[in-house]
Amino acid sequence: MEKQILVTRSSMPSLEEYVDEIKGMWQTHWLTNMGEKHQALQSELKKYLGIENIDLFTNGHMSLELSLQAMDLQGEVITSPFTFASTTHAIVRNGLKPVFCDINPVDFTMDVNKIESLITDRTCAIMPVHVYGNVCNVEEIERIAHKYELKVIYDAAHTFGVRYKGKSTGAFGDVSCFSFHATKVFNTIEGGAACFKDKEFGLKLYRLKNFGIRGPECVDGVGANAKMNEFCAAMGLCNLRHVDEEIAKRKKVVERYRERLSNIDGIQLSPIQKDVKPNYAYFPVVFEEREFGATREEVFDALAQHDIGARKYFYPLTNTFECFHNQFDVKQTPVALHISRRVLTLPLYADLALEDVDRICDIVLSCRRK
Ligand SMILES: *Cc1c(COP(=O)(O)O)cnc(C)c1O
């Protein structure tokens, strides 16, 4: 029996380190509601990311959803369908209408040349995604947003630790949201954060994550419950101490993948972006059947036969989800459709052995028709 390899494996501190971090809670009995660990993680993250304003959430999705709510928006939000369900759902659950912009075929982020043609008098915001950790064209998005007075909310779920021209991706847009889900580069088990520019907005957001409570006798917002609890914050404090090490290990894995899979006919890899310090979050591979000699499905099945879990990430596109039954026309996003049918993300985590990477690459390459 061959060793099973899952697509990802959560980073964890040693048990001792975590126990040490949570011990004090048996004295304080303070388990949630913005306690000591919550405060500590918030200030450590400010330092690590080099940003001024950050708030923590129970997960990345709620940071997106409540950020939109805190902006009091109405109308249409331009976004990408090449993403996780969360991005689109955050828009729809706020009573807003997603308008899907196609992606560019190189790094799979929003095609900035197509944004302006989608802007109408109902457009209120742009919600781009730094997909796979690839940084969007933040300058061009900012220019467009400024010109048309639109809000920008980045789904930065994939980019913890990524820097563009020396700045964390948390620094771009009106708000930028990270996910600290167990499967992400940095995790708090479940968790998320919103980085924002405007302190007034931050206060509103803070209240919305706690039912909209302003004071002991005043509730003036229809909020939710999206507070990060102390055990999750403690996990974050531990994992943050090791995140640079984890990213360095991921880099080795990615370099091996690149070594083995670059310059193969019919295989397209994500580019190394200029001015970007990456976090090596994902390793997407696009298979063009005609040149490669096998489809994405065939490669997926071959890996599955060896108990190796790759993911068809992101397939299907969010604008084809059953829950939106024919509300959107997928023909509007042909590049996203093309890529989503051909892409596979290969297993990637800090402790993935290079021999396992070799085994995965051997199987992938053996799918080529002779
Ligand atoms: C993981 C993810 C989210 C949501 O994060 P959760 O913490 O799981 O709620 C949002 N957008 C993208 C692109 C993601 O990958």
Side-chain angles (χ1 to χ4, degrees), residues 35-331:
E36 199 183 300
K37 300 297 168 190
H38 186 288
Q39 305 294 340
L41 181 58
Q42 218 168 355
S43 67
E44 288 305 311
L45 286 171
K46 280 186 198 174
K47 275 189 251 167
Y48 182 82
L49 298 169
I51 49 164
E52 254 176 69
N53 303 308
I54 187 166
D55 204 354
L56 306 178
F57 291 82
T58 192
N59 56 56
H61 177 79
M62 288 310 289
S63 67
L64 284 172
E65 190 170 315
L66 294 180
S67 289
L68 282 173
Q69 189 185 342
M71 286 176 172
D72 281 324
L73 301 172
Q74 267 169 7
E76 300 174 352
V77 179
I78 297 175
T79 189
S80 165
F82 191 68
T83 183
F84 185 55
S86 174
T87 323
T88 306
H89 285 5
I91 296 169
V92 175
R93 287 170 60 83
N94 269 289
L96 298 161
K97 184 177 173 226
V99 170
F100 292 99
C101 182
D102 209 355
I103 59 173
N104 76 66
V106 178
D107 64 20
F108 318 128
T109 62
M110 203 181 261
D111 185 342
V112 290
N113 298 316
K114 294 184 181 152
I115 297 175
E116 286 192 87
S117 67
L118 298 171
I119 294 175
T120 70
D121 54 5
R122 292 176 301 280
T123 309
C124 58
I126 311 176
M127 194 156 166
V129 184
H130 300 300
V131 70
Y132 301 131
N134 292 337
V135 179
C136 298
N137 187 338
V138 291
E139 281 116 1
E140 184 60 12
I141 290 169
E142 190 180 325
R143 185 193 69 77
I144 295 169
H146 186 76
K147 180 172 166 190
Y148 296 91
E149 293 180 50
L150 305 174
K151 296 284 184 192
V152 179
I153 305 98
Y154 279 106
D155 183 336
H158 294 175
T159 48
F160 190 84
V162 173
R163 285 177 180 270
Y164 173 65
K165 294 188 175 166
K167 280 190 188 169
S168 158
T169 53
F172 301 104
D174 294 283
V175 194
S176 196
C177 296
F178 292 114
S179 163
F180 304 152
H181 184 256
T183 56
K184 305 297 207 282
V185 168
F186 165 73
N187 85 76
T188 62
I189 309 171
E190 292 262 10
C195 307
F196 51 88
K197 297 243 162 71
D198 180 34
K199 286 204 197 306
E200 241 353 82
F201 165 87
L203 190 57
K204 201 162 171 192
L205 185 60
Y206 177 83
R207 288 174 187 148
L208 285 177
K209 80 167 177 180
N210 189 26
F211 304 102
I213 296 173
R214 179 189 280 266
E217 298 182 5
C218 176
V219 179
D220 65 357
V222 187
N225 179 0
K227 306 179 298 280
M228 180 182 285
N229 72 58
E230 291 290 280
F231 286 84
C232 289
M235 189 66 150
L237 284 167
C238 295
N239 280 334
L240 193 59
R241 294 182 195 118
H242 307 287
V243 71
D244 287 336
E245 230 175 287
E246 294 282 300
I247 291 174
K249 287 180 172 176
R250 286 174 168 274
K251 179 172 192 242
K252 292 214 158 65
V253 174
V254 165
E255 280 171 352
R256 184 64 146 248
Y257 270 131
R258 284 196 179 277
E259 230 175 274
R260 294 290 314 273
L261 300 177
S262 292
N263 304 316
I264 306 282
D265 285 345
I267 282 189
Q268 181 197 343
L269 304 181
S270 230
I272 295 167
Q273 291 185 298
K274 194 169 162 288
D275 298 325
V276 170
K277 182 185 161 287
N279 66 352
Y280 309 97
Y282 298 90
F283 196 77
V285 180
V286 178
F287 296 96
E288 287 295 344
E289 184 188 3
R290 208 166 329 132
E291 293 86 41
F292 184 68
T295 62
R296 182 267 303 270
E297 309 300 331
E298 287 170 316
V299 178
F300 179 88
D301 291 343
L303 289 167
Q305 262 172 20
H306 292 272
D307 229 0
I308 295 168
R311 279 196 65 184
K312 298 173 197 174
Y313 206 50
F314 292 96
Y315 173 86
L317 296 177
T318 67
N319 55 359
T320 67
F321 281 178
E322 273 95 340
C323 56
F324 302 130
H325 42 264
N326 304 326
Q327 283 180 49
F328 308 110
D329 182 4
V330 73
K331 286 198 287 294

